Amino acid sequence: MLEIPESLTIAAQLNETVKGLEIRRVEAAHTKHSFAWYTGEPDFYAETMEGKRLGEAAGWGSYVEIGVGDYRFAVGDGTNLRYYAPGEKLPPRYQTRIELEDGSSLVCTVQMYGSMFLIDPETYDNFYYQVAREKPMPGTDGFDYAYFRELREQASGTLSMKAFLATEQRIPGLGNGVLQDILLRAGLHPKKKMGTVPESRWRQVYEALTDTLQKMTASGGRNTEKDLFGRPGRYPVMLSKNTLGKGCPYCGTIIQKASYLGGTVYFCPGCQEM
């Protein structure tokens, strides 16, 4: 799933690989999918995009967008965006394909759900997209400790650490996936209530958050997710389904899991304070 490390990685790869290329042909809604979402009718994509050149790509939270004239082609969480070199075999089923002048293609596929929007950023009023563009991302100047403290002060002390960090779009693109390693490094359980974390520990939480996301991004994303070319990221995730039942990298205690707030959390009973 697209979270901050993957959106930034894929945007950088798009700029290195396809920026400036002319769009030859566009197919939208190629394979029917009940939970694949588009902007308007499929013909709108071809009419608007064909003959245009791809502009600058950017990652915003859990969105990747690329300029197409006055519009932006934006894919959201749940959509897999892949580059296929000229002559490379395409998957038999896909939702959207952008064929470029050199014969290469950008292909979007959706498994559970996903969006592929063609939008005017000046008028598009989707809450999730707008908040992702407007709020500062970790690692930028705007996301300093004062800003993080302000987020904390605006939240209820009865919220759990997972609820604070990964819900309500407080930090767009920080989801359940990257959350696990952040809280392991901070030494806090996902269910721990914010109000029980002493003031002296919050700087540690901030540093765990910003440093973990920086390391994930610098490594081309997590090894549980794939980049523009279908390659796993190089950041070895410490807490995930792949490490369940193995020893914690810090203390050796067996990693466990639990269902919580609509997803699965992984944790070390030895390191993460409840």
Side-chain angles (χ1 to χ4, degrees):
M1 305 296 273
L2 278 176
E3 297 188 33
I4 290 170
E6 289 71 42
S7 67
L8 293 177
T9 294
I10 291 172
Q13 292 172 330
L14 285 167
N15 286 327
E16 294 168 358
T17 308
V18 300
K19 181 182 175 183
L21 293 180
E22 183 177 317
I23 299 171
R24 177 188 296 170
R25 180 167 174 259
V26 178
E27 297 176 277
H30 174 270
T31 302
K32 185 176 180 180
H33 192 298
S34 299
F35 296 101
W37 299 301
Y38 306 91
T39 306
E41 297 299 321
D43 288 348
F44 170 66
Y45 288 73
E47 293 167 357
T48 307
M49 299 175 74
E50 290 177 0
K52 303 290 197 311
R53 293 191 179 276
L54 292 176
E56 188 81 17
W60 306 102
S62 58
Y63 282 91
V64 175
E65 67 172 18
I66 187 165
V68 183
D70 294 331
Y71 285 81
R72 299 289 186 272
F73 179 71
V75 302
D77 186 23
T79 300
N80 296 313
L81 176 61
R82 298 287 182 266
Y83 171 83
Y84 289 84
E88 189 174 356
K89 185 177 180 180
L90 300 177
R93 298 172 63 83
Y94 55 84
Q95 275 59 59
T96 299
R97 177 191 176 199
I98 303 171
E99 183 183 351
L100 303 174
E101 61 179 309
D102 64 352
S104 65
S105 294
L106 296 175
V107 174
C108 296
T109 57
V110 174
Q111 292 182 328
M112 295 178 63
Y113 62 87
S115 60
M116 294 144 284
F117 295 142
L118 182 59
I119 60 172
D120 178 347
E122 300 302 319
T123 60
Y124 187 58
D125 61 357
N126 178 277
F127 167 77
Y128 295 98
Y129 175 79
Q130 292 296 342
V131 77
R133 287 193 57 140
E134 292 167 3
K135 286 193 172 186
M137 279 199 297
T140 65
D141 291 341
F143 198 95
D144 55 14
Y145 185 64
Y147 174 79
F148 181 68
R149 186 172 59 236
E150 183 178 328
L151 290 179
R152 175 167 60 94
E153 291 171 350
Q154 292 171 352
S156 167
T158 61
L159 289 177
S160 68
M161 292 303 298
K162 174 179 174 175
F164 168 59
L165 292 175
T167 67
E168 301 299 326
Q169 297 297 301
R170 290 182 186 85
I171 308 174
L174 194 165
N176 194 59
V178 300
L179 172 79
Q180 317 293 332
D181 280 21
I182 291 170
L183 289 181
L184 177 62
R185 294 187 64 185
L188 299 174
H189 194 283
K191 295 183 180 181
K192 187 172 180 62
K193 300 300 183 185
M194 289 178 59
T196 66
V197 180
E199 181 66 33
S200 58
R201 293 288 299 279
W202 280 102
R203 173 69 73 167
Q204 181 183 349
V205 176
Y206 171 77
E207 291 175 353
L209 187 161
T210 54
D211 189 57
T212 300
L213 291 174
Q214 189 278 327
K215 284 181 166 62
M216 289 176 171
T217 303
S219 299
R222 296 164 284 161
N223 64 352
T224 54
E225 302 296 330
K226 294 182 179 179
D227 67 7
L228 183 66
F229 306 102
R231 304 174 305 207
R234 302 183 305 279
Y235 175 87
V237 175
M238 293 185 288
L239 295 182
S240 74
K241 64 181 181 180
N242 297 334
T243 63
L244 177 65
K246 298 180 181 178
C248 169
Y250 294 134
C251 72
T253 303
I254 298 300
I255 293 168
Q256 298 180 14
K257 74 172 182 177
S259 296
Y260 185 56
L261 293 181
T264 301
V265 292
Y266 301 89
F267 58 94
C268 169
C271 286
Q272 292 177 265
E273 177 185 314
M274 184 72 165

